[in-house]
Amino acid sequence: TTEPYTRPQLCRWPCECPRSPPRCAPGVSLVTDGCGCCKACARQRGQSCTEADTCDFHRGLYCDYSGDRPRYEIGVCAQIVGVGCVLNGVRYKNGETFQPNCKYNCTCINGAVGCVPMCTNSRPPLVWCPNPKLIKMAGKCCEQWVCDDSRKIRKTSPRHISSAAYEGEDEAWQKNCIVHTSPWSPCSKTCGLGISTRISNDNDQCRLLKESRLCNMRPCEVDITQHIKPGKKCLAVYRANEPMNYTISGCVSKSPYRPKYCGVCTDNRCCTPYKSKTIEVRFQCPDGTEFSWKIMWINACFCNLNCRNPNDIFADLAHYYDYSEIAN
């Protein structure tokens, strides 16, 4: 006589899960396990699966136990046989990924076609260009934004910016997380110390967090128009002769700095930073305590037509800063 087979218990309750979920490879779904307890990386096509280790249903996979007769305990992740797709007279299998043209990457999912655009640089360069146009470039699949400078007001872009700065920002993969950091918002004050904010998920938890930094576009107590050269209407960058210390609520920076500021114009243009970075400044208070603050460090400014009120919440509906040199 054969002894009866005892099926192992793969699920145990109450659930005991690790404090943090596992990090899955790019493209692998993080799903709840078959026990309904913990987050786990879904098993992929050809990998073994059980009632606890589930297959990636986002990819149309299921656990095929047919090869483990009569126990039906350990299976293999297999593709669900679904309906194919027909697009422009071409038939595609269920689950097949294809590119009908250079602009789209598509997948056939049970009779339906889902596509992701490959051309993501769809925002016009409003910072420096008053009349942007989207045109087809020779040798390139995606249309490119160019500046229609028919009015010949001024140069289409600052001479300091390389053309690579206008090619948009690519999404970055970091541990199964699409990293996205928004551009810094305009400084809350047009002169004096203000606040600039942004949203970023560039952290270990891939959580969207709000970041802040101090900013000072120009000093309020200095009449910059007196520094404009004769015959000129603008001064793009102003810099004081002597270094100074930042001051916050009576606390003074431990080191002196000689920052650059954006200048002013006597016509309808305004000067805004197009190249900046963020520095860390250490402050010391009268009671001996210390703290650090992030501060915007202006490298260069550009006088342009896109003047906006920094406190206008509706102005953020338009895409202004879309280039890496401005966002860093």
Side-chain angles (χ1 to χ4, degrees):
T1 60
T2 59
E3 295 182 1
Y5 174 72
T6 303
R7 191 179 187 87
Q9 184 178 352
L10 300 177
C11 296
R12 298 181 183 276
W13 295 274
C15 301
E16 295 182 1
C17 304
R19 297 183 62 180
S20 57
R23 299 187 182 279
C24 306
V28 176
S29 302
L30 182 65
V31 298
T32 304
D33 61 20
C35 305
C37 282
C38 309
K39 292 293 185 180
C41 298
R43 310 294 288 177
Q44 300 302 300
R45 186 173 182 175
Q47 294 181 335
S48 60
C49 52
T50 62
E51 62 177 345
D53 298 325
T54 57
C55 299
D56 198 338
F57 59 89
H58 292 122
R59 292 179 171 269
L61 302 179
Y62 75 103
C63 194
D64 182 8
Y65 293 100
S66 60
D68 191 30
R69 298 190 181 106
R71 298 178 180 179
Y72 299 103
E73 179 183 322
I74 301 177
V76 177
C77 290
Q79 190 78 46
I80 296 176
V81 178
V83 180
C85 307
V86 176
L87 182 64
N88 295 331
V90 181
R91 182 174 295 277
Y92 301 96
K93 298 179 181 178
N94 179 50
E96 183 178 355
T97 300
F98 60 95
Q99 280 191 260
N101 54 55
C102 61
K103 293 184 178 181
Y104 298 97
N105 189 33
C106 304
T107 302
C108 173
I109 305 175
N110 197 26
V113 176
C115 298
V116 176
M118 305 296 289
C119 300
T120 57
N121 186 21
S122 60
R123 289 172 284 185
L126 298 182
V127 173
W128 54 270
C129 181
N131 301 305
K133 284 188 176 181
L134 195 61
I135 65 170
K136 175 69 176 176
M137 304 291 286
K140 292 187 177 182
C141 172
C142 304
E143 287 85 359
Q144 302 290 317
W145 285 105
V146 297
C147 188
D148 179 16
D149 197 24
S150 57
R151 292 187 293 175
K152 300 296 180 182
I153 299 177
R154 56 186 55 84
K155 295 179 182 179
T156 58
S157 64
R159 64 178 181 274
H160 309 286
I161 301 182
S162 64
S163 59
Y166 298 118
E167 293 180 0
E169 299 177 11
D170 295 330
E171 291 180 333
W173 283 90
Q174 174 182 306
K175 299 178 181 178
N176 204 29
C177 167
I178 299 180
V179 177
H180 174 72
T181 301
S182 71
W184 287 103
S185 67
C187 193
S188 60
K189 294 185 177 181
T190 55
C191 73
L193 211 57
I195 293 289
S196 180
T197 61
R198 71 178 181 183
I199 302 296
S200 175
N201 66 344
D202 192 2
N203 51 68
D204 293 338
Q205 292 79 30
C206 193
R207 292 178 56 193
L208 282 172
L209 300 176
K210 186 177 182 179
E211 301 177 358
S212 300
R213 69 176 180 180
L214 298 173
C215 51
N216 193 339
M217 295 287 292
R218 56 187 61 84
C220 297
E221 65 278 3
V222 178
D223 184 7
I224 302 179
T225 57
Q226 295 182 357
H227 299 273
I228 298 177
K229 294 181 180 180
K232 300 292 185 180
K233 295 183 179 180
C234 287
L235 177 66
V237 177
Y238 167 76
R239 196 173 196 180
N241 295 326
E242 299 295 331
M244 45 77 72
N245 289 78
Y246 290 103
T247 303
I248 304 177
S249 301
C251 302
V252 181
S253 62
K254 299 184 68 174
S255 301
Y257 296 87
R258 189 167 171 252
K260 291 181 180 179
Y261 303 99
C262 287
V264 294
C265 293
T266 57
D267 55 12
N268 293 326
R269 287 178 287 170
C270 55
C271 294
T272 55
Y274 77 85
K275 191 172 184 181
S276 66
K277 63 181 180 180
T278 304
I279 64 173
E280 194 93 9
V281 176
R282 192 76 180 170
F283 289 86
Q284 188 168 23
C285 300
D287 59 0
T289 58
E290 295 185 5
F291 64 91
S292 294
W293 253 102
K294 292 181 179 179
I295 293 183
M296 174 187 184
W297 185 266
I298 297 175
N299 289 320
C301 299
F302 178 50
C303 297
N304 59 88
L305 295 171
N306 290 295
C307 303
R308 55 187 293 199
N309 184 347
N311 295 316
D312 182 5
I313 61 174
F314 298 103
D316 290 330
L317 295 176
H319 299 290
Y320 283 84
Y321 306 113
D322 190 29
Y323 314 120
S324 59
E325 293 201 33
I326 300 171
N328 291 336

